[in-house]
Amino acid sequence: MPSQRECGCLRGESCSECAQPNRGQRVREALNVTVRHSTEVSVEFLRGMAARMCMSFEKYGAVRDFKGDKIASALKRIEKYRETGNTEYLMDAANFCMMEYMYPRHTQAHFKAEDSVASPGRAQADGAFTQAANTHEQELTRSGFRYNRDGD
């Protein structure tokens, strides 16, 4: 886990974004992210999304007025990322997904928290999908097959 600096930032390198006192702590609180989980969320990515939405508002208008296909727009940007490697397309794709969440066009749009059993899983390098944990040790714990070898 990265060490927390005096300013509250968890970044290991020098951070020019810490002009405000306890900025890192405020960010974690606003996002409901614990110090333990702070490596699992990219504040830079979320800030990039927000900056692009603000610029988009000035250029194109309010999200609520967008009548296009947000999912097709997101998929196109993922395709562009795969072609170019430009991570800005990932921020744009995420923004279109957020826009669909805010103003869904899907006739059966709803939110229902699902457990991992209902998840389609994650694509592996070979294209296969799995719900397994990232490491063998984590999978043993996740699946309940971890055992204690006391006395061995």
Side-chain angles (χ1 to χ4, degrees):
M1 175 171 47
S3 62
Q4 185 171 355
R5 298 174 38 172
E6 188 175 320
C7 61
C9 176
L10 294 175
R11 294 175 59 174
E13 67 274 30
S14 68
C15 182
S16 62
E17 300 175 35
C18 296
Q20 301 174 33
N22 299 316
R23 179 187 172 280
Q25 179 66 29
R26 287 197 326 267
V27 168
R28 286 192 303 277
E29 288 172 1
L31 296 174
N32 198 27
V33 175
T34 65
V35 172
R36 171 183 167 86
H37 298 122
S38 63
T39 59
E40 305 306 300
V41 177
S42 172
V43 173
E44 178 184 4
F45 184 82
L46 297 172
R47 289 180 70 211
M49 286 176 60
R52 278 147 188 80
M53 289 302 291
C54 293
M55 179 61 71
S56 180
F57 174 80
E58 299 302 329
K59 287 172 74 174
Y60 306 113
V63 170
R64 70 178 169 272
D65 297 331
F66 179 71
K67 304 299 183 213
D69 188 333
K70 296 173 284 271
I71 299 302
S73 297
L75 293 172
K76 183 65 171 177
R77 278 149 182 85
I78 291 170
E79 181 182 309
K80 292 291 289 180
Y81 167 71
R82 285 185 165 171
E83 289 173 15
T84 67
N86 182 353
T87 57
E88 182 182 28
Y89 288 119
L90 297 177
M91 290 177 185
D92 291 343
N95 278 332
F96 277 107
C97 290
M98 179 180 67
M99 290 165 59
E100 177 66 19
Y101 177 86
M102 293 166 63
Y103 299 98
R105 284 187 55 192
H106 194 292
T107 58
Q108 297 174 359
H110 65 284
F111 179 89
K112 178 184 173 195
E114 302 277 4
D115 60 17
S116 59
V117 173
S119 170
R122 299 169 291 161
Q124 302 299 295
D126 64 3
F129 279 77
T130 182
Q131 293 179 340
N134 292 336
T135 68
H136 180 68
E137 275 298 307
Q138 290 171 328
E139 178 59 15
L140 293 176
T141 301
R142 184 195 73 80
S143 63
F145 290 111
R146 187 178 183 89
Y147 61 93
N148 188 353
R149 296 182 55 144
D150 288 341
D152 282 358

